[in-house]
Amino acid sequence: MSEMKFNKLALITSLLFSTQLFAQKPNVVIILADDLGYSDLGSFGSEIKTPNIDSLAHQGTRFTNYHTPSTCSPTRSELMSGTDHHQAGLGAMAETMREDAAKFDLTPRPQFLGKPGYEGYLNTRSMTLPQVLKDNGYKTLMAGKWHLGYTPETNPAKRGFDFSYALLNGADSHFKTLPNGIERKTIYTENGQKVELPDNFYSTDFFTQKVIEYIGNDKKPSQPFFAYVALTAPHWPLQVPTNYLNIYKGHYDQGYDAIKQKRLEKMLKLKLINSTKTANVVSKELAPMNLDTWNNLTAEQKKIEARKMEIYAAQIKNMDDNVGKLIKHLKNIKQYDNTLFIFMSDNGAEGFYRPLPGYDNSYNNLGKTKSYELIGPRWTEVSSAPFSLWKGTAAEGGVSAPAIVKLPNSTTAKISNSFVNVKDVFPTVLEVTQSSLKPDYQDPSKFNQLSGKSWISYLKGKTNSVYGENFIYADELHGDAYVRNKKWKLTRTITKNLSGPDWKLYDLENDRTETTDLSKKHPEIVKQLQQEYVKYTQRVGVQDFAE
């Protein structure tokens, strides 16, 4: 054989091998729910029917000890950057660092805006997961809530996504239609260009369909894909399409305690918890809007409260139906088996009230296009079960979220109580996809370095935990803070004086519901953890809201 023919054959063989190897790289689908409570999925104890999400759980790992920051944009910054939100630019939510933060029911801290790590957007020191995957040959796409910057430079189109349809703000109506006299002030972009919503827009339906459109129908794609499905459900306002309005009619007439108890019993049966012990409820005096417990409500209050939970459950049902559409599409194009799925919530459920004027929240209009309601604190205590409090606090109900991971070409079911957190997603995806970082990204003088740990060795049974026996983990947001090791958690929640301002100590191995403060019994542990917390604040540059 001549040298020319040999070289040509070698080149063809090499190209074929590269193409085969490339085609075998797994796809990645990250589905991020918005304000979904810890026990809101069927596979995590809920009465809400979520068979499609549960199918991922039954073929993968349910993490019962997965943690996030306590609100949305800080979590999203950690997901995209793999580093602490104080370093990624969202040391506080951008809304909090505005002069008019009070209108968001937040304490204004405009003096923090612009400080390192408090830029109010995903900063340029942060590498991004989509950009790294794009560098490694992936088609990258997203649809849904971005919440990491409003400018062209901070748009998903400039942070690594080939295709994107993004809500840049933190929240919006789920429908295009708004009440008369109310102007939409939110911004949507497609591939970096501002767009108007279609008339038939419903957030979860539309975002899911966009992702399916971007993925395409090719059964033998030339590139693997990374799809970030950043849904805005079940975040307020409580709104669903007409055919979902009455799916859960009558299901919540028994009230908070009865539904919570059923969830706890189911969680115990599923071996997600060891007992039906649950957190103490917030007193009427401290509860948002001073909402009382079920037995003390009037008949009219009970009727409205039950209806709000019916709509919330329907939002979750709609979300699950759309996850089912995505799964069906991937199966149809023969890409389901070779896909890494990660489903999770961005934080705990929302327990505060954030009403807007101009909407019709009468009983018969709840859930429709021109209503604007939230589930409120008492149903959130159910959604957070068995944990304490909710989104925006350092309590377990605010920083613990449901998380499910299904590895490519695997159907092994597992329930894990190993501590993990959202920063771990980035290195986990890198390991599964065998993606590498460019030299610049590995230079700490130029970029924030990944601070999470890959889950893969643990998921494959090579290690007994992700973080080992002696880890220290801390977080702070808007003054609420905690520092913990495997057994102990030192925490304060100053928000709305729900639990503060004093630091409290909890034994997580025996009291993750945070019912018994042991700080006075173990002052030496308090001192040790306080020292670790100071180290953390110095390392990541925390600006203390509590001062």
Side-chain angles (χ1 to χ4, degrees):
M1 183 184 294
S2 69
E3 183 177 350
M4 182 176 293
K5 286 183 177 179
F6 177 80
N7 288 340
K8 185 176 181 180
L9 179 62
L11 176 61
I12 292 172
T13 303
S14 174
L15 287 172
L16 284 172
F17 177 76
S18 298
T19 302
Q20 289 170 354
L21 183 64
F22 199 55
Q24 290 169 0
K25 272 199 166 190
N27 307 306
V28 179
V29 172
I30 293 178
I31 304 171
L32 188 64
D34 201 351
D35 293 2
L36 181 75
Y38 184 81
S39 68
D40 279 338
L41 298 175
S43 51
F44 275 77
S46 180
E47 71 291 337
I48 303 169
K49 304 300 182 185
T50 55
N52 298 296
I53 298 170
D54 296 347
S55 71
L56 300 177
H58 298 148
Q59 298 177 58
T61 298
R62 273 171 279 182
F63 281 114
T64 66
N65 202 0
Y66 168 78
H67 286 72
T68 70
S70 66
T71 65
C72 35
S73 54
T75 295
R76 290 156 205 272
S77 73
E78 293 194 348
L79 174 62
M80 289 291 106
S81 72
T83 194
D84 191 281
H85 62 97
H86 296 91
Q87 296 173 309
L90 276 299
M93 292 178 68
E95 293 86 345
T96 302
M97 296 184 285
R98 292 169 48 165
E99 295 282 359
D100 62 348
K103 78 177 185 181
F104 300 103
D105 199 26
L106 300 169
T107 303
R109 288 292 188 274
Q111 68 270 29
F112 292 166
L113 185 63
K115 291 181 180 291
Y118 287 77
E119 291 87 353
Y121 56 85
L122 186 61
N123 61 26
T124 55
R125 278 192 56 82
S126 300
M127 67 181 97
T128 69
L129 179 57
Q131 185 61 58
V132 170
L133 291 176
K134 185 175 180 178
D135 293 341
N136 283 269
Y138 274 73
K139 179 170 89 170
T140 57
L141 55 104
M142 75 154 287
K145 177 172 162 179
W146 179 238
H147 207 191
L148 294 175
Y150 296 92
T151 66
E153 295 76 22
T154 59
N155 191 274
K158 293 291 187 179
R159 301 313 307 262
F161 284 105
D162 295 316
F163 303 93
S164 61
Y165 197 108
L167 166 64
L168 302 188
N169 307 73
D172 194 14
S173 172
H174 293 286
F175 293 99
K176 180 179 181 179
T177 304
L178 298 175
N180 293 335
I182 293 182
E183 178 186 356
R184 174 167 267 111
K185 297 181 180 179
T186 50
I187 302 170
Y188 291 81
T189 63
E190 184 164 26
N191 302 329
Q193 302 299 311
K194 288 186 180 181
V195 290
E196 292 292 325
L197 296 176
D199 290 341
N200 64 346
F201 178 83
Y202 179 74
S203 62
T204 309
D205 294 347
F206 183 84
F207 293 143
T208 305
Q209 191 55 45
K210 265 293 170 186
V211 167
I212 291 172
E213 174 189 319
Y214 290 154
I215 290 171
N217 298 309
D218 195 343
K219 294 183 178 180
K220 294 183 179 180
S222 59
Q223 289 177 278
F225 65 80
F226 164 52
Y228 175 37
V229 191
L231 302 176
T232 53
H235 192 290
W236 41 270
L238 300 174
Q239 296 172 334
V240 290
T242 302
N243 58 320
Y244 282 85
L245 281 171
N246 294 314
I247 288 178
Y248 283 94
K249 188 72 174 173
H251 278 61
Y252 296 98
D253 294 347
Q254 302 168 71
Y256 317 125
D257 295 339
I259 300 299
K260 182 190 286 188
Q261 186 60 33
K262 288 180 180 178
R263 288 194 180 191
L264 292 170
E265 289 171 0
K266 184 177 178 181
M267 294 171 84
L268 184 65
K269 185 177 180 180
L270 292 172
K271 299 183 179 179
L272 299 172
I273 55 177
N274 296 321
S275 75
T276 55
K277 177 184 177 182
T278 189
N280 298 323
V281 299
V282 175
S283 68
K284 176 185 176 182
E285 291 70 28
L286 290 178
M289 302 292 288
N290 299 125
L291 184 64
D292 212 333
T293 52
W294 188 260
N295 290 337
N296 293 321
L297 299 181
T298 66
E300 183 65 19
Q301 285 176 315
K302 289 178 179 179
K303 177 182 174 182
I304 293 171
E305 284 291 294
R307 183 60 177 154
K308 289 195 292 186
M309 191 61 185
E310 290 169 9
I311 303 301
Y312 181 76
Q315 278 188 307
I316 295 171
K317 174 69 167 65
N318 173 269
M319 177 178 66
D320 183 76
D321 288 347
N322 277 281
V323 171
K325 291 175 186 176
L326 178 57
I327 289 173
K328 181 179 179 181
H329 178 70
L330 295 179
K331 288 182 176 180
N332 287 342
I333 63 171
K334 310 300 182 186
Q335 295 300 310
Y336 174 82
D337 291 335
N338 194 37
T339 296
L340 168 67
F341 288 91
I342 302 177
F343 177 95
M344 56 199 170
S345 181
D346 61 346
N347 41 247
E350 174 66 86
F352 295 113
Y353 284 110
R354 307 187 190 278
L356 287 180
Y359 288 83
D360 176 7
N361 291 327
S362 60
Y363 176 81
N364 288 329
N365 200 54
L366 288 175
K368 298 179 182 179
T369 58
K370 297 180 182 180
S371 67
Y372 200 100
E373 261 291 6
L374 298 86
I375 57 171
R378 299 308 181 190
W379 284 122
T380 299
E381 289 174 328
V382 176
S383 290
S384 299
F387 303 135
S388 174
L389 296 179
W390 46 71
K391 171 185 175 179
T393 75
E396 287 295 285
V399 300
S400 298
I404 297 166
V405 180
K406 182 193 175 303
L407 294 175
N409 302 300
S410 174
T411 57
T412 302
K414 180 178 181 179
I415 294 175
S416 166
N417 63 2
S418 181
F419 172 84
V420 293
N421 69 87
V422 65
K423 293 188 290 292
D424 301 335
V425 172
F426 200 136
T428 299
V429 171
L430 292 190
E431 184 168 355
V432 171
T433 61
Q434 298 183 337
S435 296
S436 59
L437 300 176
K438 296 188 304 185
D440 271 4
Y441 287 154
Q442 299 177 52
D443 184 346
S445 70
K446 296 179 179 178
F447 287 93
N448 298 322
Q449 299 300 288
L450 302 182
S451 54
K453 294 181 180 292
S454 172
W455 299 333
I456 300 307
S457 291
Y458 171 71
L459 292 175
K460 292 186 174 180
K462 296 179 181 179
T463 58
N464 294 325
S465 67
V466 176
Y467 277 80
E469 298 296 311
N470 301 309
F471 71 90
I472 295 290
Y473 185 86
D475 195 14
E476 179 278 343
L477 186 60
H478 307 154
D480 294 354
Y482 71 97
V483 56
R484 60 163 291 170
N485 54 31
K486 185 179 180 182
K487 179 175 175 64
W488 298 101
K489 176 183 178 181
L490 184 68
T491 183
R492 72 176 183 207
T493 288
I494 63 174
T495 297
K496 305 295 183 186
N497 198 35
L498 284 171
S499 182
D502 297 331
W503 289 89
K504 295 179 172 60
L505 181 70
Y506 298 106
D507 178 355
L508 293 176
E509 291 183 347
N510 298 296
D511 182 25
R512 199 174 160 200
T513 57
E514 298 172 306
T515 56
T516 305
D517 174 19
L518 299 175
S519 58
K520 289 183 173 56
K521 187 175 181 180
H522 296 286
E524 74 288 355
I525 297 173
V526 171
K527 182 178 179 180
Q528 176 194 355
L529 289 176
Q530 283 178 331
Q531 291 171 345
E532 294 291 348
Y533 180 71
V534 170
K535 292 178 187 177
Y536 164 75
T537 62
Q538 293 171 343
R539 177 171 59 83
V540 301
V542 171
Q543 303 289 326
D544 196 346
F545 271 61
E547 292 181 349

